[in-house]
Amino acid sequence: MKKEQRDIALIPYPQRAFAMNTFTRNVVGGFCLCVLPLLLTLAQANPQTDKTNTKESSAKKSAKDSNLPKLDFKSVIKSYKDTSQNTSKEGSQNTLQEPLTELTKETFFDSVEARNVNLIKSKATFASLLESQKAYNSWESPYAEVEGDSTKNGYGRRELEVSALFLLKPKLPWVQTLLHKSLSLQTLQYQKTYNLYKNLAFISAKQLYLTYLITKEKYHIYIHRESNFLSQLQIAQAKLNAGSMSKKDYISFNNAYLDARLLKMRSQTQLLDLQRQLHQILGVEMGEIVLPDEIAESTDSSQIGTSGSADFGANDASGYDDYERAQKGANLSRHIEEQILSSRRDVVVKGLDFAYAQISLPKARENLNSSLYTEILDLQAKDYKTNAKISSRERFDSIEIGAGVVHAESSDGVKFRVSVPLPFTPKNTHLKRKFLALHSGALAESQITKTNLAISLDSYYEQLRNKKSYIELQKENIQNKKGLVEMGKIAYEAQKISLFEYLTYQNAYMDSLITLADAKLEYIAIQSMLEETLGEMLQ
């Protein structure tokens, strides 16, 4: 936050109109010989002085009005979670050249930083604000002033008098020192703010990738479940044709297969969307999923394996059964699955896998006390305090000094000028009160933010610990259900239980695997919120 700049009246160049009388011809000749070369030199060195001064005045006003973007940490976190996948679409220098199957963590996060739109904008904004402040801290450009007048000499005759001054307006040391201190505080604040934004983008990208990994696990589970139901549908079809199964039971088998296939297709859609976001981060095109010619030229793929499902048992008349339709649909799905999970589309980051957060609560609290949030808020308060001091000292911040020569027909001389501001108005008093109020507000905001972050930290840490216990218990539950499935298979092959009971064991086992994957996704989301609270990644 910068203090407001006083309105400084720029001294324009005077109109160089001279009263020329017939008896002053010699004086004009002397003026041409002495002053015109100086004017020509000034014109060549700075042909657009008026325009330049106007632009400098605008630049100074802009620099003084430039404020450090106020950090609303909740909106910052939400912004970077929502937009960490936004990428710059111009230029090829940010496009990843490595194969997606050979990415390292460093390459992955470098690509996130290079292609994140928010980071690019923030970096440019911070750089521009610093340059504006540096421009304000600099002295104003020196300038030359030339005046001409017609005066009476000691003999009562009128003659032309010309004066040329070179003027400076330096900032005084007691103000310049504080301005440099404010600049150093802002530079450090901008750097830490950018690092915070970068960490938030990394946390969001890491959450996206881990979500992709777990969703891929779920996708494999759904594929396995669909395959199981397809094989059971084949058995049920054979039993229906042999007359050992009722149409009602057969319909139940077919519905179970269709439900399994629908769940897999929903997971496939989620996986494709996550792939899209990862490819945007990396700047790599995914490519089109190509269907085999025999499938592309046939009926619409959405009808394969589902058409005719309302007329179960009609295959005796048509010679076309539900299992054959389902098998064709499975062949198409298998072809699509191979392309989705191929190295051309799949994203693998070595060293970035699901893992429990390895940090103790005391260590997390210690990290929070020295987090970027805390440092940024403290620097903001210090900068407000420094600006309050600047406003107080700027009552007398600069003087204007100049020296030059005076030339007339009858005499020559030296001329000096000193302009001193008279701070009789309460403007700087109000500016000082303004920054003191902002300083007080920043301290209160810092304390409240620290308290809220500490509360969030404790809550997320407990949630992580509870979710970890849930995952471990679910793993034990999966092992029990896996053993039950194996025993059920033996009992079914010995014809001690029915096929329906055996499928119930299998469904319970698959549901447990999916529940475990969902628990991991919840753990990843909570861990990301904990990392956002700390302002840094835990691993």
Side-chain angles (χ1 to χ4, degrees):
M1 177 71 69
K2 311 290 187 308
K3 59 188 183 311
E4 297 179 356
Q5 183 183 18
R6 286 198 305 270
D7 295 329
I8 301 174
L10 296 176
I11 303 176
Y13 286 98
Q15 301 292 333
R16 297 178 178 84
F18 303 99
M20 300 177 62
N21 298 324
T22 55
F23 64 87
T24 59
R25 219 176 263 176
N26 293 332
V27 176
V28 172
F31 166 77
C32 294
L33 291 174
C34 298
V35 178
L36 282 183
L38 174 62
L39 293 178
L40 289 174
T41 303
L42 291 173
Q44 292 174 356
N46 195 359
Q48 296 179 342
T49 308
D50 291 338
K51 294 183 180 179
T52 303
N53 286 341
T54 303
K55 291 180 181 178
E56 289 177 355
S57 175
S58 301
K60 288 186 296 181
K61 186 174 186 304
S62 174
K64 290 303 293 178
D65 292 338
S66 299
N67 297 329
L68 173 69
K70 183 173 176 61
L71 293 178
D72 182 353
F73 295 117
K74 291 183 178 179
S75 63
V76 167
I77 290 174
K78 183 177 185 301
S79 171
Y80 275 83
K81 288 181 73 175
D82 293 340
T83 63
S84 66
Q85 294 82 28
N86 291 343
T87 57
S88 102
K89 297 182 179 178
E90 295 183 0
S92 58
Q93 65 274 18
N94 292 333
T95 301
L96 189 71
Q97 301 297 329
E98 293 188 36
L100 297 185
T101 54
E102 299 179 3
L103 290 180
T104 62
K105 290 172 62 175
E106 292 75 16
T107 303
F108 178 72
F109 289 121
D110 286 346
S111 181
V112 172
E113 182 177 7
R115 295 184 54 80
N116 187 282
V117 173
N118 271 2
L119 290 179
I120 294 172
K121 289 182 178 179
S122 298
K123 198 172 199 177
T125 300
F126 293 157
S128 67
L129 290 175
L130 287 176
E131 294 302 324
S132 296
Q133 180 62 23
K134 290 177 183 178
Y136 172 73
N137 291 357
S138 303
W139 287 12
E140 294 183 27
S141 299
Y143 60 96
E145 182 178 290
V146 178
E147 293 180 348
D149 197 8
S150 177
T151 61
K152 287 185 179 181
N153 59 16
Y155 301 101
R157 293 187 303 171
R158 301 192 66 82
E159 62 182 13
L160 182 65
E161 181 181 85
V162 179
S163 62
L165 293 175
F166 181 78
L167 297 107
L168 291 174
K169 192 172 183 179
K171 292 184 183 292
L172 298 178
W174 51 81
V175 176
Q176 192 79 22
T177 302
L178 287 178
L179 287 175
H180 286 304
K181 181 180 179 181
S182 177
L183 177 62
S184 64
L185 287 173
Q186 290 174 46
T187 302
L188 189 58
Q189 186 178 356
Y190 292 158
Q191 290 173 350
K192 291 187 178 297
T193 302
Y194 178 79
N195 289 337
L196 174 62
Y197 289 171
K198 181 174 67 174
N199 288 349
L200 293 176
F202 287 177
I203 292 168
S204 181
K206 171 189 166 186
Q207 180 185 3
L208 174 66
Y209 176 72
L210 293 180
T211 301
Y212 171 74
L213 282 186
I214 305 304
T215 303
K216 192 161 57 172
E217 288 182 13
K218 289 178 64 177
Y219 186 53
H220 284 293
I221 294 170
Y222 284 124
I223 290 174
H224 186 58
R225 168 182 265 180
E226 181 193 20
S227 178
N228 284 345
F229 275 107
L230 181 60
S231 61
Q232 299 303 328
L233 181 63
Q234 181 182 16
I235 296 173
Q237 181 78 53
K239 288 187 175 183
L240 177 66
N241 294 338
S244 59
M245 177 177 287
S246 65
K247 290 184 179 180
K248 178 178 175 298
D249 291 341
Y250 175 76
I251 291 174
S252 297
F253 273 98
N254 197 50
N255 285 339
Y257 166 73
L258 294 177
D259 288 340
R261 186 174 178 191
L262 289 171
L263 289 173
K264 188 205 70 173
M265 293 177 69
R266 185 178 66 180
S267 178
Q268 185 180 90
T269 302
Q270 296 172 351
L271 190 66
L272 286 171
D273 187 61
L274 291 170
Q275 278 187 345
R276 173 190 63 81
Q277 297 178 54
L278 287 172
H279 280 252
Q280 285 182 336
I281 286 179
L282 301 173
V284 179
E285 295 184 1
M286 292 193 297
E288 181 184 1
I289 295 179
V290 182
L291 298 178
D293 295 338
E294 60 273 13
I295 297 179
E297 295 174 359
S298 64
T299 330
D300 183 78
S301 62
S302 62
Q303 299 176 356
I304 299 178
T306 60
S307 61
S309 59
D311 188 15
F312 295 104
N315 43 39
D316 292 337
S318 64
Y320 190 74
D321 55 39
D322 297 307
Y323 172 73
E324 290 178 353
R325 287 193 294 271
Q327 185 62 49
K328 287 190 175 182
N331 292 336
L332 171 62
S333 297
R334 195 175 300 112
H335 182 82
I336 295 176
E337 292 157 10
E338 290 174 355
Q339 294 194 56
I340 291 177
L341 301 175
S342 67
S343 59
R344 183 170 56 92
R345 299 175 64 93
D346 191 21
V347 179
V348 178
V349 180
K350 296 179 180 179
L352 192 58
D353 300 302
F354 175 82
Y356 294 128
Q358 302 297 326
I359 188 171
S360 63
L361 185 56
K363 179 62 176 177
R365 288 173 177 168
E366 181 183 344
N367 291 352
L368 181 62
N369 291 333
S370 59
S371 67
L372 289 172
Y373 294 110
T374 303
E375 294 180 358
I376 292 170
L377 289 171
D378 290 344
L379 287 170
Q380 194 175 59
K382 289 179 181 179
D383 189 44
Y384 286 144
K385 188 175 181 179
T386 302
N387 277 283
K389 292 181 180 179
I390 293 175
S391 299
S392 179
R393 295 188 184 183
E394 269 198 335
R395 297 174 185 274
F396 188 70
D397 66 330
S398 64
I399 60 174
E400 186 178 76
I401 56 176
V405 297
V406 179
H407 172 75
E409 180 182 9
S410 58
S411 65
D412 292 314
V414 180
K415 185 175 183 180
F416 297 94
R417 175 185 293 179
V418 178
S419 299
V420 180
L422 301 176
F424 293 151
T425 66
K427 176 180 178 180
N428 290 87
T429 301
H430 293 310
L431 286 176
K432 180 180 179 180
R433 291 173 181 173
K434 165 190 170 182
F435 287 110
L436 288 177
L438 289 172
H439 174 256
S440 177
L443 291 177
E445 179 189 0
S446 175
Q447 189 60 40
I448 293 173
T449 302
K450 291 175 184 178
T451 302
N452 292 340
L453 290 174
I455 294 172
S456 298
L457 174 65
D458 292 344
S459 176
Y460 292 142
Y461 189 86
E462 290 301 322
Q463 291 179 49
L464 276 184
R465 188 161 59 179
N466 181 66
K467 188 58 64 176
K468 178 181 178 181
S469 300
Y470 179 90
I471 291 174
E472 294 302 319
L473 186 60
Q474 183 63 21
K475 288 180 179 179
E476 183 179 348
N477 185 33
I478 287 174
Q479 292 302 318
N480 291 336
K481 290 184 178 179
K482 183 178 180 181
L484 193 59
V485 169
E486 293 173 353
M487 289 186 290
K489 181 179 180 181
I490 296 173
Y492 172 70
E493 292 174 349
Q495 298 184 353
K496 293 182 179 180
I497 62 173
S498 66
L499 182 59
F500 285 109
E501 189 174 356
Y502 175 55
L503 289 179
T504 301
Y505 296 151
Q506 280 192 333
N507 282 336
Y509 173 65
M510 293 291 180
D511 289 339
S512 296
L513 292 175
I514 294 171
T515 302
L516 176 63
D518 289 336
K520 288 182 178 181
L521 290 175
E522 292 174 5
Y523 187 92
I524 292 169
I526 297 172
Q527 181 175 328
S528 295
M529 288 187 285
L530 176 63
E531 291 174 333
E532 289 164 358
T533 301
L534 294 173
E536 61 182 4
M537 288 194 299
L538 295 179
Q539 59 182 24

